[in-house]
Amino acid sequence: THTPQTAIPLRLVGSEMCIRDRFTIGSISFANEIKVFDFNETELSGLDVRKVRGADNKTTYTVGSNENGNFLKAVADNAASGLGKEVKIDLNKTPFINITWKIEKDLPGIKENTKKGHDYAARVFAIKKTGATPLSNRAINYVFSSNNEVGSNWPSPYTKKSIDNVLASTKKNLNEWITVKANVKDDFKKFHNLDVNELDGVAIMSDTDNSKMKSIAYFQILIIQCHRIYRCHNLRYRFQ
């Protein structure tokens, strides 16, 4: 997908990712944990859902709940749009991102490392401003792949400043809630050779504008914390 048109003043080159304007910054900081999204109606109504340039349709985002709390549902039918928040995160104190998500309908058969197949039913961008202009920004794109194995990674076919890193795959976990984790600070060093002390934003996107297919995905927990293992407070999710 070319560009998640979310509303944060961070812009990646090559049309891969363009995050503009400003996100509302809520009270999301905790001593050892940052809850990036609440996934409720109030929050969603305050965020701009920006369509990717060139996409035919917007991804439809709605909120719901189950026994484990609120979630965000994303339906992308030949569509691409994203949402996110500008948030300063001290990666020396809270370097670990934890994502709980599920793919109900995936995108089998596409080549995700090509421009024609660069779609994901679910992805989370961790964004760092690295210069005076938006064109200099870097990102780690944590993805729920439909075709590749966990641990696979490659530069976006639209810009080498955004790296796709597979944290989950429907080859193993289709229509199943799972929680995954990654060390964002270590990943910026590994993929961009950058010693990043502070993250500048986080964005969510579900996109199918290149493949013209339909995906259905859910996000339930998105936090960044100090601990390697997220204690799920008895949530019944499979950890990967």
Side-chain angles (χ1 to χ4, degrees), residues 78-180:
N78 184 20
S81 55
L83 54 87
K85 289 184 177 180
E86 179 180 351
V87 53
K88 300 292 185 180
I89 298 171
D90 186 340
L91 293 182
N92 294 311
K93 295 180 179 179
T94 51
F96 293 98
I97 190 168
N98 291 266
I99 309 166
T100 297
W101 48 6
K102 178 177 75 169
I103 305 301
E104 179 181 321
K105 183 176 178 58
D106 64 349
L107 305 170
I110 63 174
K111 295 182 179 180
E112 296 163 339
N113 62 347
T114 68
K115 288 185 177 181
K116 289 185 177 181
H118 196 240
D119 289 339
Y120 297 101
R123 56 163 107 185
V124 175
F125 291 92
I127 306 154
K128 177 61 185 175
K129 293 191 290 187
T130 55
T133 69
L135 297 178
S136 64
N137 295 339
R138 305 293 181 98
I140 307 295
N141 182 23
Y142 295 111
V143 306
F144 204 134
S145 173
S146 298
N147 299 280
N148 290 279
E149 300 292 342
V150 172
S152 303
N153 55 78
W154 50 82
S156 162
Y158 291 98
T159 171
K160 292 182 179 179
K161 294 188 176 183
S162 179
I163 303 297
D164 297 349
N165 187 22
V166 179
L167 290 191
S169 175
T170 59
K171 292 166 71 70
K172 285 187 176 181
N173 302 110
L174 179 61
N175 202 24
E176 180 180 20
W177 286 106
I178 60 167
T179 296
V180 296

Side-chain angles (χ1 to χ4, degrees), residues 61-87:
Y61 293 101
T62 56
V63 295
S65 63
N66 60 18
E67 67 274 16
N68 294 319
N70 296 338
F71 60 77
L72 181 76
K73 182 178 181 180
V75 179
D77 190 354
N78 184 20
S81 55
L83 54 87
K85 289 184 177 180
E86 179 180 351
V87 53

Side-chain angles (χ1 to χ4, degrees), residues 162-232:
S162 179
I163 303 297
D164 297 349
N165 187 22
V166 179
L167 290 191
S169 175
T170 59
K171 292 166 71 70
K172 285 187 176 181
N173 302 110
L174 179 61
N175 202 24
E176 180 180 20
W177 286 106
I178 60 167
T179 296
V180 296
K181 60 184 179 294
N183 188 317
V184 179
K185 184 176 178 64
D186 286 356
D187 284 345
F188 269 97
K189 183 64 175 178
K190 176 181 178 180
F191 296 123
H192 292 299
N193 196 27
L194 291 176
D195 293 311
V196 175
N197 295 314
E198 186 178 64
L199 205 61
D200 293 302
V202 179
I204 286 172
M205 190 166 76
S206 293
D207 57 299
T208 60
D209 57 317
N210 293 308
S211 63
K212 312 300 182 184
M213 298 172 71
K214 180 179 180 179
S215 68
I216 302 174
Y218 302 83
F219 302 83
Q220 183 141 55
I221 297 171
L222 204 170
I223 64 169
I224 300 179
Q225 62 179 183
C226 63
H227 302 296
R228 180 175 298 273
I229 298 175
Y230 173 48
R231 293 171 177 82
C232 260

Side-chain angles (χ1 to χ4, degrees), residues 40-55:
N40 58 39
E41 290 284 2
T42 301
E43 178 186 68
L44 184 59
S45 65
L47 296 174
D48 287 333
V49 179
R50 298 293 184 91
K51 188 175 72 172
V52 169
R53 186 175 59 193

